[in-house]
Amino acid sequence: MINDKNSKKIVDIIQDFSRRHSLFVLAYGTGCGAIEIPPTMTSRYDAERFGIRGMATPRQADLLLITGYLASKTLKRVIRAYEQMQDPKYVIGFGSCTINGGMYWDSYNTIKILSDYIPVDVYINGCMPRPEAVITGFIELQNLIKEGKANGAQKYKENLEWYRENQKKVIKDWKMPDYNW
Amino acid sequence: MTDTILDKEQKLVQLLEQTFKKLSGKVVRQRRVTVSVEKELVPSVLSYAKSQLGYIHLSHMSCVDWPENNNFEIIYILWSPADKVQLFIKTLINRENPEIDNVDMIWKHANTYEREIREMYGIQFNGLVGAQEFILEDWDDMPPMRRDFDTVEYVDDNYTFRPGREDAGDVREEIVKRSGEDIPDFAKKYSRD
Ligand code: SF4
């Protein structure tokens, strides 16, 4: 193996391998799409064979699933949860609502484009996506990790100003701690 | 035959009309009665219905906006477990400066409904105790459930539309074009036109 800067070190390969086979999902559902998570996790579709399982707290989780519409009130909690998660961390936007507002395209209290507020690695469309689609989304994310392209967290750090500006447009009364990374 | 079926409903309307002069009632159908009262009378009608007629349960309290007539309509839905009749008590209040008496001393849970109506329609309940903010957070626009509140305009000001989803238009043609798949037969019968 040529050991220049651009080639992956063996350590990275091992790291990425273990990362993509132990995606721990923060057990947090926002919209109606959360109802597809129990069948995905339980015996019929058994997502655990891909190393995907639920986790109780943001600090232990790698993956934040936004399962559907996100009310502007919930956005605050999601941002806090996301910022508390440890690197490496990934976000999956789940359902049409996260992509373009879905059936809530003209609702006064749900956000329309999730990736304006937090970086999204993979979108799964459908209203609501079936467990097969969900698992396809997970595999897509695993492939991105393998190729080193799932770098949403880094994007967030670099463009924090831009994200903050968008977030503050919705959360007018910003009373949140500023985390240091 | 119908008389005997609607017996208890008619008796209820009679009783209420005798007790309160400015009240008009109507039997809608079996087990459903509506009465309209002035807003000053609402607390007394409610407490009368609760203590004397057995309408001990407030099932729901709701509000309808009528910008055409410049009115809000507040509706109290009561239920009597003994009669098994639903009693709708309706009152109209003016849309400018809307206010009405608070009734949470009759039913405690009316407090929750009233706070919701206050937030969503901007109606003041005299003497209502409870935080001003109920479901919405940092809301600084017109109460959102009023019918003259333009949600699309609000969304345009506060969020960004995804290009292509600025209206509820049918996007199936576009999907067919991009994906190269056909619209399945079962989906063809649904149309927005
Ligand atoms: S995409 Fe459909 S199922 Fe998912 S949250 Fe939106 S409305 Fe609900």
Side-chain angles (χ1 to χ4, degrees):
Chain A
M1 186 179 182
I2 316 150
N3 203 355
D4 68 51
K5 266 188 183 162
N6 291 325
S7 75
K8 272 186 164 183
K9 290 206 189 93
I10 188 97
V11 188
D12 292 336
I13 293 170
I14 295 171
Q15 233 176 24
D16 281 353
F17 176 84
S18 24
R19 275 173 189 174
R20 72 174 184 269
H21 290 293
S22 65
L23 288 173
F24 288 5
V25 182
L26 178 59
Y28 179 70
T30 59
C32 23
I35 209 72
E36 289 293 329
I37 298 303
T40 313
M41 293 298 175
T42 46
S43 53
R44 175 130 189 204
Y45 292 98
D46 193 16
E48 211 167 315
R49 66 205 149 115
F50 301 104
I52 295 155
R53 49 176 301 199
M55 258 303 142
T57 74
R59 292 206 189 275
Q60 293 164 301
D62 306 306
L63 179 58
L64 182 57
L65 257 187
I66 307 295
T67 49
Y69 61 83
L70 192 56
S72 48
K73 197 171 171 181
T74 323
L75 180 66
K76 205 181 218 173
R77 282 79 188 167
V78 165
I79 292 168
R80 286 199 69 165
Y82 181 70
E83 295 191 347
Q84 283 178 43
M85 282 163 66
Q86 314 268 354
D87 263 352
K89 53 186 173 183
Y90 314 102
V91 179
I92 290 185
F94 181 114
S96 313
C97 283
T98 53
I99 301 172
N100 58 15
M103 64 192 273
Y104 301 100
W105 65 277
D106 66 344
S107 157
Y108 59 88
N109 62 352
T110 62
I111 61 163
K112 309 302 162 213
I113 306 177
L114 178 63
S115 45
D116 279 359
Y117 307 96
I118 49 175
V120 180
D121 295 301
V122 176
Y123 275 123
I124 306 169
N125 87 353
C127 177
M128 51 193 53
R130 298 274 306 134
E132 293 93 327
V134 178
I135 290 175
T136 314
F138 283 132
I139 290 171
E140 175 75 33
L141 179 66
Q142 290 181 338
N143 290 339
L144 286 180
I145 296 171
K146 191 174 173 185
E147 292 161 18
K149 283 187 192 153
N151 47 8
Q154 208 183 331
K155 221 163 66 188
Y156 189 67
K157 263 183 237 169
E158 282 162 11
N159 304 315
L160 190 62
E161 304 265 284
W162 184 80
Y163 283 111
R164 273 281 183 278
E165 200 184 303
N166 283 337
Q167 290 162 358
K168 283 183 183 172
K169 253 186 243 165
V170 177
I171 307 169
K172 285 162 195 144
D173 191 12
W174 186 273
K175 274 189 278 187
M176 298 214 262
D178 281 318
Y179 295 99
N180 41 25
W181 314 80
Chain B
M1 186 69 194
T2 42
D3 281 352
T4 43
I5 289 178
L6 298 178
D7 221 11
K8 58 185 175 194
E9 286 85 353
Q10 267 149 6
K11 228 181 259 167
L12 170 69
V13 172
Q14 261 174 23
L15 207 57
L16 279 165
E17 280 180 345
Q18 277 164 15
T19 322
F20 298 96
K21 288 282 161 307
K22 286 187 201 155
L23 179 149
S24 62
K26 196 174 112 217
V27 181
V28 180
R29 58 165 169 80
Q30 218 182 338
R31 298 192 179 173
R32 184 159 299 181
V33 174
T34 64
V35 297
S36 313
V37 290
E38 307 242 312
K39 75 170 182 187
E40 286 76 20
L41 270 182
V42 166
S44 27
V45 174
L46 289 180
S47 50
Y48 176 73
K50 184 183 180 185
S51 56
Q52 305 296 320
L53 305 179
Y55 286 79
I56 52 172
H57 180 231
L58 174 72
S59 315
H60 193 52
M61 214 181 124
S62 84
C63 179
V64 185
D65 187 7
W66 298 106
E68 299 87 350
N69 311 335
N70 205 22
N71 276 333
F72 284 119
E73 189 171 28
I74 307 257
I75 301 153
Y76 303 82
I77 303 173
L78 313 187
W79 169 252
S80 158
D83 284 1
K84 306 231 184 311
V85 172
Q86 240 170 359
L87 174 59
F88 287 59
I89 294 170
K90 302 184 177 185
T91 181
L92 290 172
I93 57 180
N94 197 338
R95 221 158 168 282
E96 326 293 339
N97 211 344
E99 53 173 10
I100 188 167
D101 284 336
N102 161 31
V103 294
D104 70 0
M105 54 294 204
I106 306 174
W107 284 281
K108 263 192 191 150
H109 63 274
N111 186 285
T112 310
Y113 295 132
E114 286 175 348
R115 281 174 62 203
E116 184 180 0
I117 292 174
R118 175 169 70 183
E119 182 158 71
M120 293 296 179
Y121 291 89
I123 294 173
Q124 283 312 314
F125 288 86
N126 298 329
L128 177 60
V129 180
Q132 199 76 27
E133 204 165 66
F134 180 54
I135 292 171
L136 303 172
E137 233 178 43
D138 328 325
W139 186 263
D140 51 11
D141 212 290
M142 174 197 277
M145 284 293 169
R146 290 194 178 192
R147 273 169 56 203
D148 47 6
F149 174 76
D150 188 344
T151 48
V152 177
E153 195 186 298
Y154 182 83
V155 171
D156 206 11
D157 293 346
N158 288 275
Y159 309 100
T160 29
F161 285 115
R162 171 82 69 186
R165 200 21 116 207
E166 295 96 345
D167 52 20
D170 194 337
V171 291
R172 282 176 295 180
E173 294 298 321
E174 188 63 33
I175 294 173
V176 166
K177 229 191 297 169
R178 284 196 210 171
S179 66
E181 289 170 19
D182 286 336
I183 304 179
D185 280 336
F186 67 86
K188 273 182 189 153
K189 63 175 185 251
Y190 302 107
S191 157
R192 288 227 169 83
D193 314 322

